[in-house]
C-alpha cells in the first residue's frame, strides 16, 4: 500500500526566525482528508566532544520552554546553505572553545517527525585543542566535563533526556565499543 499523503492546501500561521508554522489539508491513502499541523525548523548540528581522558564536554544551559537547566552536548542551528560539518565545528568552538583533530559523523536525527520538520546532524569530536569560547550575545551556558561512562549511564537511566544528547552518546558508545 502506498502510504503517501498528498497536500491539498496550506494555511500559513506563523513565520519566525527559527520556525515557520502551517496547517496543511492532505488526502490520506484511503481517500479521506485530514489536517496536518507542521512546524518547519531550520536544521541543526550537535557534537559529542571527547577529551583526552574520555570525558564528554557537556554544556548546561537554561531551556526556557521546559523552565529548567539541562545537560546537553554542544549544538546549534545551521545558517542558510551552511554545510553541517562547518556548522558543527563552528558550534563546538563557540560553545566550548574546542577544535578537534578527529571529527566523525554519527548520522542524522529527526527529533519529532510527527509535526516537526528539522534534521539534526550528529558528530563525534576527538583530539581536542582549546582556545576561547565565542558565545552568542544571548547564549549563557556552563561547560562541564563528564566521564563518558557516566554520560551513557545517565542517558540509559533517563536522567538525561535530551534527544540529541542521548542519540549521540549511545551511537558513540556503539561506534567506539567503549
Amino acid at each position: 500500500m502506498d502510504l503517501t499523503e498528498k497536500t491539498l492546501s496550506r494555511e500559513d500561521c506563523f513565520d519566525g526566525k527559527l520556525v515557520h508554522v502551517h496547517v496543511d489539508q492532505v488526502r490520506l491513502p484511503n481517500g479521506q482528508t485530514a489536517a496536518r499541523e507542521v512546524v518547519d525548523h531550520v536544521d541543526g548540528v550537535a557534537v559529542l566532544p571527547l577529551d583526552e581522558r574520555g570525558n564528554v564536554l557537556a554544556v548546561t544551559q537554561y531551556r526556557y520552554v521546559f523552565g529548567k537547566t539541562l545537560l546537553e552536548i554542544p549544538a546549534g542551528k545551521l545558517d542558510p546553505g551552511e554545510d553541517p560539518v562547518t556548522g558543527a565545528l563552528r558550534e563546538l568552538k563557540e560553545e566550548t572553545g574546542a577544535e578537534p583533530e578527529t571529527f566523525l559523523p554519527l548520522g542524522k536525527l529527526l527529533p519529532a517527525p510527527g509535526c516537526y520538520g528539522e534534521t539534526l546532524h550528529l558528530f563525534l569530536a576527538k583530539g581536542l585543542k582549546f582556545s576561547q569560547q565565542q558565545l552568542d550575545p544571548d547564549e549563557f551556558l556552563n561547560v562541564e566535563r563528564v566521564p563518558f561512562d557516566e554520560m551513557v549511564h545517565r542517558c540509559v537511566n533517563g536522567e538525561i533526556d535530551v534527544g540529541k544528547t542521548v542519540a549521540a552518546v549511545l551511537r558513540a558508545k556503539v561506534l567506539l565499543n567503549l
Side-chain angles (χ1 to χ4, degrees):
M1 171 195 286
D2 181 8
L3 301 175
T4 305
E5 297 179 0
K6 182 180 183 220
T7 305
L8 302 173
S9 65
R10 172 169 292 173
E11 178 188 348
D12 293 323
C13 302
F14 176 78
D15 195 26
K17 290 169 76 173
L18 292 177
V19 300
H20 175 81
V21 180
H22 55 93
V23 178
D24 293 354
Q25 295 299 316
V26 300
R27 178 148 340 269
L28 302 172
N30 67 1
Q32 299 296 314
T33 59
R36 297 291 184 243
E37 296 176 352
V38 179
V39 179
D40 291 322
H41 187 287
V42 297
D43 288 346
V45 292
V47 182
L48 177 68
L50 284 177
D51 72 12
E52 70 285 351
R53 293 186 169 173
N55 294 311
V56 175
L57 270 67
V59 297
T60 303
Q61 56 188 325
Y62 182 80
R63 292 300 193 177
Y64 179 82
V65 173
F66 291 98
K68 63 182 179 179
T69 57
L70 297 173
L71 184 69
E72 309 174 38
I73 59 174
K77 64 180 180 63
L78 289 171
D79 292 331
E82 186 176 29
D83 175 70
V85 170
T86 302
L89 290 169
R90 173 182 45 77
E91 287 294 333
L92 177 62
K93 183 166 175 61
E94 284 178 7
E95 293 190 6
T96 68
E99 295 181 80
E101 288 178 7
T102 305
F103 202 64
L104 303 169
L106 291 174
K108 296 185 229 176
L109 179 68
L110 304 177
C115 68
Y116 199 66
E118 177 186 18
T119 299
L120 276 172
H121 302 269
L122 306 176
F123 297 91
L124 172 65
K126 295 171 62 178
L128 306 176
K129 292 184 172 45
F130 293 93
S131 60
Q132 192 70 25
Q133 278 179 309
Q134 301 169 348
L135 297 175
D136 293 332
D138 64 347
E139 191 171 35
F140 301 91
L141 54 85
N142 295 321
V143 178
E144 298 181 29
R145 290 181 190 247
V146 182
F148 182 74
D149 286 341
E150 182 181 332
M151 287 291 288
V152 171
H153 178 73
R154 292 169 76 179
C155 287
V156 170
N157 76 12
E159 185 179 339
I160 295 174
D161 52 9
V162 178
K164 64 188 173 220
T165 302
V166 172
V169 167
L170 297 182
R171 287 179 182 182
K173 173 77 173 162
V174 172
L175 177 71
L176 299 173
N177 199 21
L178 293 175

